[in-house]
Structure formats: C-alpha cells, structure tokens
C-alpha cells in the first residue's frame, strides 16, 4: 500500500437518533474515520450488519438496571455465530441529565420520559423527587429529549426528559436542570457463548411437563469450562416449546494480563490465539455433554 492509499472508512450502525449514548459510544470507539448511520430500534441496528454496514454497536447492560432485553433477543438468532460475530466491547460512563423546555419550572413537571434503561437507573431519584409524575418509555434518550420540542396532544402539563449531557446541548430550546446519575465499570477480556438444547432434542408431548435445560447448563459449568464464568443470562429460546430457554455464558480469561486491563493496549496475536483455543475447547466440551453451544463473541 502506498502512502497515498487509505483504508476504506468503516460504516457503523447505532441506535438513534443523534445524541444517544450509543451514538456517544460509537464515536468514542471508531472516531472521525467512520461513517455513521442511526436506526430507530436495536433490532434494526443488529440486522443492518452485512448488507448495509460493517459494524453495529448495541448496548448489552448497565450496572444499575441490568441487561438490555432487546439485545439478548437478537443474540438468540442463529446468524450470530455464523455470519455475524461479536468482536469487542466498550464501557462508557453514563451521565444522565434531566432537561426541560426553556422556562419550565421543576415543580410544574407532570411527566418524565426516557428510554426504559434510563428510567430504571434513575428510579430512586424519580421516586424521591417526582413521586406523582407519569413515567413514559421512549425508544431512546435522545428521542425523548427531542419530543419535548413538540406539544403532546391530549396532555395538559409540563414534561421533562432524561438524556445525555451532550444531547442536552443539541437543542437550544432545552435547558439542563439537574445531573441525575453517573457510573463507570471497567471490564476485562471476555468471550460470550450461547447454550441451549439441540435442534434434535425431543419435544415433549402436549401437556407434559418440560424441564428447563438449566440443570444441564449448570452441570457443564463445573466440568466443561476451563475458564472462569463471570455471568449467566437467560432468554426464551426460538423453539416453540414452553419454558425452553437459551443461556448466554460470559467467560473471562484466567489471570488476565495487565495489557488487557488497559483499553488502549493492543493484544498480541499469540495471546488472542491462545484465548480463542481455550474458549473453543470449552465449547467442544459443552457439545460433548449433549447441548448446543455456539461461540458468538470474543474480545
């Protein structure tokens, strides 16, 4: 490659509109060299990878309100692990802000709107300061802030929104009245494995009791994984069987080197290959125990 040649700009999808925490996280990770496209739902962000964009950034969890359900519903899909793969994560500090239209007093606020994750994170603040306010979910924190600029038909009263600090500066008609919540949670080197019953597993007769595969999963954790398990998440499987679940097992490299604790450090190819072999061996052991296991992320 000559000095005049440059690598193509990556196309990155995130949950929009502009000003969401997903937008902030994407820009912090990919920088100015990327082309960004926002989508109205996490499901559309996920499905955009391949034909429309090179990378998608979707939120997994926050430290107060827990896992993002829509994200884990996407992680159930068989295309993840086949033609889509998780290759990284980024943890950002969350700074929620309460915004209103210019001139609105807090005592006049009758409704507070935001993404359900933000409402959950700020539940203590909202209960203490706005015990009688209506809480309304919106697709994103940025959309909630932007909606304050348009009168709500049929609603008498003032509204406020919980959003990011950067979002609060995007609209001149809004004013920041209170910083509500802030968190940061550093992470180490991880991998994510999806586990469930195999497609050939016998479907129980109608009205027969069905035992979840949890006991199979738990038993394999002590015999099949050669690396520490840091968390387990569960969602209903895609099979049309009541109480049939799929599990997401997150593992961490034992004795994570200090280079991986530094988010600016680049892991060596040898270390990455060794980590991949460890995880693949764990997947092989789970499969040999009679379960379906797929490596869907490694970073």
């Amino acid at each position: 490659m000559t000095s005049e040649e440059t690598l193509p700009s990556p196309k990155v999808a995130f949950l929009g509109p502009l000003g969401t925490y997903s937008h902030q996280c994407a820009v912090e990770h990919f920088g100015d060299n990327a082309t960004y496209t926002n989508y109205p739902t996490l499901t559309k962000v996920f499905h955009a990878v391949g034909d429309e964009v090179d990378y998608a950034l979707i939120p997994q969890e926050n430290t107060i309100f827990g896992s993002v359900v829509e994200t884990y519903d996407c992680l159930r899909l068989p295309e993840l692990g086949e033609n889509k793969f998780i290759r990284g994560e980024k943890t950002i500090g969350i700074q929620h802000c309460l915004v209103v239209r210019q001139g609105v007093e807090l005592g006049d606020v009758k409704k507070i709107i935001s993404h359900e994750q933000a409402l959950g994170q700020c539940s203590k603040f909202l209960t203490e300061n706005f015990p009688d306010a209506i809480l309304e979910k919106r697709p994103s924190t940025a959309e909630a802030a932007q909606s304050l600029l348009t009168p709500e038909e049929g609603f008498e009263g003032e509204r406020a929104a919980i959003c990011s600090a950067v979002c609060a500066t995007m609209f001149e008609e809004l004013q920041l009245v209170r910083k509500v919540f802030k968190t940061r949670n550093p992470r180490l080197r991880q991998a994510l494995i999806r586990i469930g019953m195999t497609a050939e597993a016998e479907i129980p007769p109608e009205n027969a009791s069905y035992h979840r595969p949890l006991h199979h999963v738990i038993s394999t954790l002590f015999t099949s994984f050669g690396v520490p398990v840091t968390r387990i998440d569960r969602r209903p499987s895609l099979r049309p069987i009541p109480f049939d679940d799929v599990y997401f097992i997150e593992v961490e490299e034992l004795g994570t080197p200090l280079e991986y604790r530094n988010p600016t450090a680049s892991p060596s190819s040898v270390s990455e290959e060794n980590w991949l072999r460890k995880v693949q061996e764990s997947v092989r052991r789970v499969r040999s125990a009679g379960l379906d296991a797929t490596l869907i992320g490694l970073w």
Side-chain angles (χ1 to χ4, degrees):
M1 184 173 66
T2 67
S3 59
E4 297 181 354
E5 293 177 320
T6 58
L7 295 174
S9 174
K11 298 178 181 179
V12 181
F14 65 90
L15 176 66
L18 299 180
T20 61
Y21 287 107
S22 292
H23 179 209
Q24 174 187 332
C25 189
V27 173
E28 287 185 8
H29 185 77
F30 291 96
D32 298 331
N33 189 41
T35 301
Y36 297 98
T37 305
N38 68 83
Y39 293 83
T41 67
L42 292 177
T43 301
K44 291 187 176 182
V45 172
F46 177 85
H47 286 297
V49 176
D51 295 334
E52 301 176 46
V53 301
D54 304 306
Y55 301 98
L57 189 144
I58 54 178
Q60 178 195 20
E61 66 168 341
N62 63 66
T63 58
I64 299 298
F65 201 55
S67 302
V68 180
V69 173
E70 188 177 357
T71 293
Y72 276 91
D73 283 344
C74 291
L75 298 186
R76 298 179 303 174
L77 300 175
E79 60 196 89
L80 188 63
E82 294 180 358
N83 52 37
K84 296 180 181 180
F85 202 68
I86 301 170
R87 284 298 290 153
E89 71 171 7
K90 184 175 180 63
T91 301
I92 64 171
I94 298 297
Q95 176 68 78
H96 286 322
C97 297
L98 188 71
V99 299
V100 296
R101 290 185 299 108
Q102 292 285 353
V104 172
E105 299 292 336
L106 285 182
D108 298 328
V109 172
K110 303 300 181 184
K111 178 185 288 188
I112 300 176
I113 56 181
S114 191
H115 188 274
E116 64 175 334
Q117 296 288 122
L119 292 174
Q121 286 178 309
C122 302
S123 59
K124 184 175 184 295
F125 168 83
L126 296 176
T127 299
E128 293 175 351
N129 295 275
F130 299 92
D132 300 321
I134 300 170
L135 305 183
E136 184 175 292
K137 300 176 184 178
R138 291 297 175 93
S140 70
T141 55
E143 194 274 341
Q146 189 172 2
S147 70
L148 295 182
L149 307 180
T150 304
E152 182 177 344
E153 184 178 355
F155 179 76
E156 297 294 334
E158 298 294 350
R159 298 167 296 154
I162 294 175
C163 62
S164 66
V166 64
C167 185
T169 65
M170 292 175 59
F171 308 103
E172 295 182 357
E173 300 92 334
L174 300 181
Q175 62 178 357
L176 188 156
V177 292
R178 184 75 178 271
K179 292 183 178 180
V180 181
F181 178 83
K182 185 176 182 180
T183 185
R184 183 173 294 275
N185 183 32
R187 301 294 298 277
L188 304 178
R189 191 176 178 97
Q190 311 286 126
L192 189 62
I193 302 167
R194 184 179 61 223
I195 299 177
M197 303 301 289
T198 63
E200 297 77 19
E202 182 180 352
I203 298 177
E206 187 176 359
N207 299 325
S209 61
Y210 180 74
H211 298 287
R212 294 176 177 177
L214 177 60
H215 64 287
H216 295 296
V217 173
I218 295 298
S219 65
T220 62
L221 294 183
F222 298 101
T223 60
S224 301
F225 283 89
V227 290
V229 174
T230 57
R231 64 177 289 165
I232 303 175
D233 291 280
R234 174 177 64 85
R235 291 294 294 154
S237 78
L238 296 176
R239 302 202 308 165
I241 304 175
F243 305 114
D244 183 56
D245 300 317
V246 59
Y247 295 84
F248 301 93
I249 311 299
E250 195 165 306
V251 296
E252 175 185 303
E253 185 174 23
L254 184 63
T256 302
L258 289 178
E259 63 181 287
Y260 299 132
R261 299 174 187 268
N262 179 0
T264 63
S266 299
S268 67
S269 58
V270 175
S271 297
E272 183 167 327
E273 289 175 1
N274 290 338
W275 175 228
L276 175 60
R277 280 196 294 268
K278 289 181 182 179
V279 176
Q280 287 178 329
E281 176 61 21
S282 297
V283 170
R284 187 194 65 76
R285 291 173 180 169
V286 174
R287 289 174 177 170
S288 66
L291 294 173
D292 180 46
T294 303
L295 175 62
I296 61 175
L298 185 85
W299 61 94

